[in-house]
Amino acid sequence: MKMETNPPIIGPKEIRFKPEASLDFTREDHRNEMSETLVWVRNRLGKSWPAKIDGKEVWTASELVSLNPSQKTEVVGKVACCGIKEATLAVETCTAFQNKWGSTPVSKRTEALRKAAKIILARRHELCAWIVFEVGKSWREADADVIESIDFCRYYGQQMDELATPLVRDIPGEVNQTIRMAKGLSIIIAPWNFPLAILCGMTAASLAAGCTTIMKPAEQSSVIAAILHGIFLEAGIPPEALAFVPGKGEEIGPFLVSHPEVAIIAFTGSLGVGAKIYEQASKLYPGQIHFKRVLAEMGGKNAIIVDDDADLDEAIRGILASAFGFQGQKCSACSRVIVPHSIHDSFVNRLIEAAKTLTIGPSDNPTFALGPVIDQEAFDRIEETIRKGTNLGGSVLAGAVESHLHNGYFIRPAIFTGLGEAHPILTEEVFGPVLAVQAWKNFPEAIQLANNTPFALTAGLYSRSPARITLTKNCLKAGNIYINRKITGATVDRQPFGGFGFSGMGAKAGGPDYLLQFLIAKTTTENTMRRGFSPETVGA
Ligand code: NAD
């Protein structure tokens, strides 16, 4: 097998970004505060939230009803469901404000982002509680979501402050300057699985760059999005610069994507929707005088390779966290494990026994390791995948719905083995607690199996061999490769996150290139050796 190596293209840089630390829930005071905040937030569930356009509340005839996936009769909130009329208004008002926002001093824009980070930090328990109720994250996962949003606001603020310095390349007799300017109106189309962090990150980058911005959150997490929008305005983002337009993706999404005034579409979500957006955005619509830029971060079919000298206790711990953390509903989640043929059976037994210890129940109760999947549609799809996987020759080794947990969308982890290479469970993103085990006979085959997917998001290796670790770093096809640790949980700046292939077409989030996607550059060159000057003309 031919192994291709890529020379490093980003050299080591001075470390200067300090990510926010997680809450330590082993501390009683943190646990107590979280429990009390959950009660406080629970008392505020069920209210209605408007859209916000040009700073004005917009109520619609129909609403998106957001349910607690741990307790599906509990309404988390009802959010305005915008249609074409509201989307049109948002585009018009943001377009009218684009020049003003784009020419607002960078320091003023980034100051608002730093203030947003402060507000999020001050409200971190409350935001965690909303995330627990609206999407069913555990306390720890919810806290990770919150701190990532803080990091994004600070990081993109800091990056934009640096990018604001013009690039000067003068030579005698010639002044050369390159500046960066906002490309134009952005729409942010976000998923529900990082309801705060991803929406916040894409929005913060767009605003830092000076782009007026329309937030279109996922239907399932529109309440958290409404709260985030309020935080940005409280932090000083002008209401004309940031519209909140919740609604059904398939209804307002194509309208916003194809609107001639929209310059940037920042999307995170599934491959199917991302591919549609890419196609729609590639066309020129009547009145459009620019090419749209599409940033699309999509799914994965991520593998972890276990080497024959790996510490299996560590490997199993990391695999369970990567595959079943937040019920496997992370784009970075591990869905394939590739183990040496010689230990396949014993490894699978250990993995199943370990998976059986993962307790499952409502996410507001921190004693449970796993919570629910997001909604009925996901529940049905994952159950069907498990059923089909079994029927098509795979053996399901753990996995059954807990009948006593009928109030929420609970699915036990399922671990498959013995699937043919083309089996959908090995090739398609399931986005749930479903893991497949494959066997390798020699190490290059392990890498080949891991790379056998059009996705290229995350991947990992458990090994003690320096040579194999190097080979893996060079040859695994993934945007983020993790060695001897779990493959989820990237940290802003330290691990810029994002893939290639079918996993993504933008620059990495939380990395040095991300903001550039919202900017255009203008270079001026002046010959200062010219002869003679014309007299100043009043009003010139
Ligand atoms: P989704 O694609 O169903 O929806 C994402 C967003 O697109 C939502 O806001 C939705 O309303 C909107 N949308 C739906 N149809 C649309 C259309 N026709 N035009 C425009 N917008 C439309 O994804 P999801 O279920 O919310 O999120 C899960 C997916 O997101 C998974 O595939 C996961 O891997 C991916 N994801 C990727 C990353 C990453 O960084 N690569 C991070 C998180 C999630």
Side-chain angles (χ1 to χ4, degrees), residues 404-423:
H404 69 280
L405 291 171
H406 57 274
N407 286 338
Y409 305 112
F410 297 100
I411 298 182
R412 274 213 166 276
I415 299 169
F416 282 90
T417 189
L419 300 172
E421 253 185 61
H423 195 287

Side-chain angles (χ1 to χ4, degrees), residues 87-265:
T88 305
L89 183 64
V91 172
E92 282 171 3
T93 56
C94 284
T95 303
F97 198 67
Q98 179 54 53
N99 281 346
K100 184 113 191 261
W101 183 238
S103 55
T104 299
V106 168
S107 58
K108 207 167 164 205
R109 299 200 303 251
T110 57
E111 185 48 40
L113 294 182
R114 280 186 284 277
K115 182 136 186 244
K118 275 192 194 143
I119 300 171
I120 296 172
L121 187 60
R123 292 175 63 178
R124 71 188 298 179
H125 290 87
E126 183 208 335
L127 291 165
C128 278
W130 283 106
I131 293 172
V132 166
F133 287 127
E134 195 168 32
V135 302
K137 280 199 175 184
S138 68
W139 291 16
R140 266 182 230 283
E141 299 281 1
D143 183 51
D145 207 321
V146 173
I147 57 179
E148 195 177 12
S149 65
I150 295 170
D151 288 345
F152 278 137
C153 287
R154 290 179 180 156
Y155 181 79
Y156 292 135
Q158 184 178 317
Q159 290 270 312
M160 192 60 222
D161 284 337
E162 285 168 22
L163 286 169
T165 308
L167 183 75
V168 177
R169 291 288 181 270
D170 293 350
I171 54 169
E174 189 180 89
V175 169
N176 291 296
Q177 202 182 63
T178 300
I179 57 159
R180 298 185 196 278
M181 305 178 311
K183 175 162 163 65
L185 168 61
S186 311
I187 52 167
I188 309 296
I189 305 181
W192 51 265
N193 72 326
F194 280 83
L196 194 69
I198 292 182
L199 180 62
C200 181
M202 294 193 289
T203 305
S206 170
L207 291 169
C211 300
T212 52
T213 305
I214 296 176
M215 287 164 72
K216 205 314 271 166
E219 294 83 323
Q220 299 92 330
S221 56
S222 295
V223 172
I224 295 158
I227 296 170
L228 176 66
H229 181 260
I231 289 173
F232 276 127
L233 297 201
E234 185 189 336
I237 300 293
E240 305 90 329
L242 181 63
F244 173 57
V245 183
K248 292 189 180 152
E250 62 278 19
E251 285 174 14
I252 53 170
F255 173 80
L256 287 168
V257 168
S258 54
H259 197 291
E261 295 289 356
V262 169
I264 298 169
I265 299 116

